[in-house]
Amino acid sequence: MRVAAEIAEAALAPPYSFEASMLDAAYYTQLCLDAILDKVLAEQRLTPEEGLALFRCPDPVAVGALAHHARMLRHGQQAFYVVNRHVNYTNHCVNACRFCAFRREPGEEGHFTLTHEDIIDRLCNDPPGGLAPDELHIVGGCHPELRLAWFEELLRKLCKLRPGTVIKAFTCVEIAHFAAMEGISTIEVLSRLKSAGLAMLPGGGAEIFAPEVRRQLCPNKIDADAWLRVAGEAHSLGIPTNATMLFGHIESVEDRIDHLCRLRKQQDISGGFTCFIPLAFQTEHSALKLPVGLSGPQRGLDQLRLIAVSRLMLDNIPHLKAYWVMLGVKQAQTALHWGADDLDGTIVEEKIGHMAGADSVQALSVAELESIIRCSGFEPVRRNANFTKFMTGA
């Protein structure tokens, strides 16, 4: 079985201790990171310049050790997963982002728009012996005809069929699209969706905040200011959200630090980001062609370094996800030692990443997720979407 083959056969790591964390002061002085080491140990905020120094450090493992220390201070031996179901309701989208391999035009092979019945069938029919999900994850393209009432009705149906299950749905980009379709404010859209059963927003659509890079990647999508504003409005209504960064394309390390600092600033203001998810750009089927040397297996250490720097810079966002769909199971498992504390979940069906070229499996069982976590040296903890429902894995 492919998944079983991807689970490392590693012995359980010993309990975490400062002495075992490789944080040798003399070595960090040699790397000119002694001030950063002091700040990490004192749990103090890093500056943008210090974040850039971490990206430019010649020893990525030293950066990973700092992030692992910060991760262990927050979460100890816990590593989280969720029993969830994903559904992508359409790949018909007005935005036509240059990097996107998910979007299809009507009449084009692979184009789809699901009905309420299709979505309910995917989210509410448990397989024999399967677990009912703790989270429903719903996102899609910005369809030019589906109106807000259609989504409100869908949420009400799902709440009736899955009472008590957290519905995490619609990116900030989708919220802005609904508002434009209806001629109303984004905060009114959020209020209506919350009344219909929306509990949380996922973090997609943030891509990279740098204006010039965003112009090249997704010129028709809302800009960074609008994305952050919608997230803040959701937080003001008591709707927590996640946050993402699409990385590994044409962005610079300065763009990455700018993105992280803007998320951190928004979190200082509104406080509703639950989890940060770095999304590794999938090159296989994208129209965005990267220069030679920016794609392929050599990206692995860059992915781990980005996760580590994110954990160190985002001192006010509690969780960091190693999204196994984009990273692959082995890399996500490794990332638990580079600052990440969450793997996402069972998923069952995912289209956006896989249509872009992700070669991971479509689903993981609870037993597989728990085995991955235990073989990494951590204790599995089952959660729901907003990390408020904790159940120790069996």
Side-chain angles (χ1 to χ4, degrees), residues 30 94 134 163 325:
Q30 181 182 334
V94 300
D134 297 318
V325 169

Side-chain angles (χ1 to χ4, degrees), residues 172 175 186-187 190 201 224-242 262-263 265-273:
C172 293
I175 297 299
T186 49
I187 198 163
L190 289 163
L201 301 188
D225 289 340
W227 191 96
L228 291 164
R229 174 183 54 78
V230 173
E233 289 174 349
H235 301 167
S236 74
L237 294 173
I239 303 171
T241 75
N242 287 338
R262 294 192 69 172
L263 288 174
K265 181 178 179 181
Q266 183 62 52
Q267 182 75 337
D268 283 342
I269 296 167
S270 57
F273 290 128

Side-chain angles (χ1 to χ4, degrees), residues 10-266:
L12 290 179
Y16 174 79
S17 68
F18 174 77
E19 290 75 19
S21 68
M22 303 190 303
L23 299 183
D24 180 81
Y27 184 57
Y28 282 89
T29 299
Q30 181 182 334
L31 293 171
C32 299
L33 298 180
D34 47 322
I36 292 177
L37 172 63
D38 291 343
K39 279 191 171 183
V40 171
L41 296 180
E43 300 181 66
Q44 296 174 353
R45 176 163 289 187
L46 301 184
T47 67
E49 293 74 23
E50 289 167 333
L52 288 173
L54 292 169
F55 273 120
R56 291 165 178 159
C57 174
D59 184 355
V61 176
V63 179
L66 289 169
H68 186 62
H69 177 81
R71 174 246 189 274
M72 295 298 289
L73 285 177
R74 286 176 174 272
H75 303 295
Q77 293 298 126
Q78 296 181 117
F80 304 99
Y81 72 92
V82 62
V83 178
N84 63 349
R85 299 280 182 86
H86 278 216
V87 69
N88 305 122
Y89 57 85
T90 188
N91 61 357
H92 190 170
C93 186
V94 300
N95 285 323
C97 298
R98 186 180 172 203
F99 65 86
C100 183
F102 174 65
R103 177 182 179 271
R104 297 290 186 275
E105 291 281 358
E108 186 179 357
E109 183 179 355
H111 174 271
F112 70 90
T113 299
L114 303 182
T115 65
H116 284 185
E117 290 70 28
D118 294 329
I119 295 169
I120 288 168
D121 180 63
R122 284 163 168 78
L123 296 181
C124 298
N125 291 328
D126 300 328
L131 291 172
D134 297 318
E135 170 199 297
L136 305 181
H137 181 114
I138 306 168
V139 295
C142 292
H143 196 289
E145 297 173 7
L146 295 180
R147 304 302 293 263
L148 182 58
W150 190 89
F151 294 100
E152 291 174 292
E153 182 184 358
L154 172 64
L155 293 181
R156 291 190 179 100
K157 288 178 179 178
L158 291 172
C159 285
K160 183 176 181 180
L161 292 166
R162 290 288 192 196
T165 301
V166 174
I167 299 177
K168 182 174 72 177
F170 315 128
T171 65
C172 293
V173 174
E174 289 165 271
I175 297 299
H177 173 70
F178 300 156
M181 288 272 290
E182 303 299 328
I184 59 178
S185 67
T186 49
I187 198 163
E188 183 175 347
V189 170
L190 289 163
S191 296
R192 284 174 56 174
L193 291 172
K194 181 179 180 181
S195 295
L198 178 68
M200 187 174 184
L201 301 188
E207 318 311 357
I208 198 80
F209 288 151
E212 177 55 28
V213 178
R214 201 172 184 85
R215 185 189 66 77
Q216 296 183 56
L217 293 181
C218 48
N220 301 320
K221 191 171 280 184
I222 59 172
D223 64 14
D225 289 340
W227 191 96
L228 291 164
R229 174 183 54 78
V230 173
E233 289 174 349
H235 301 167
S236 74
L237 294 173
I239 303 171
T241 75
N242 287 338
T244 60
M245 177 201 295
L246 182 69
F247 74 98
H249 42 85
I250 60 173
E251 87 285 0
S252 66
V253 292
E254 289 83 2
D255 295 332
R256 294 177 177 184
I257 290 296
D258 171 72
H259 190 100
L260 294 171
C261 288
R262 294 192 69 172
L263 288 174
R264 188 170 71 179
K265 181 178 179 181
Q266 183 62 52

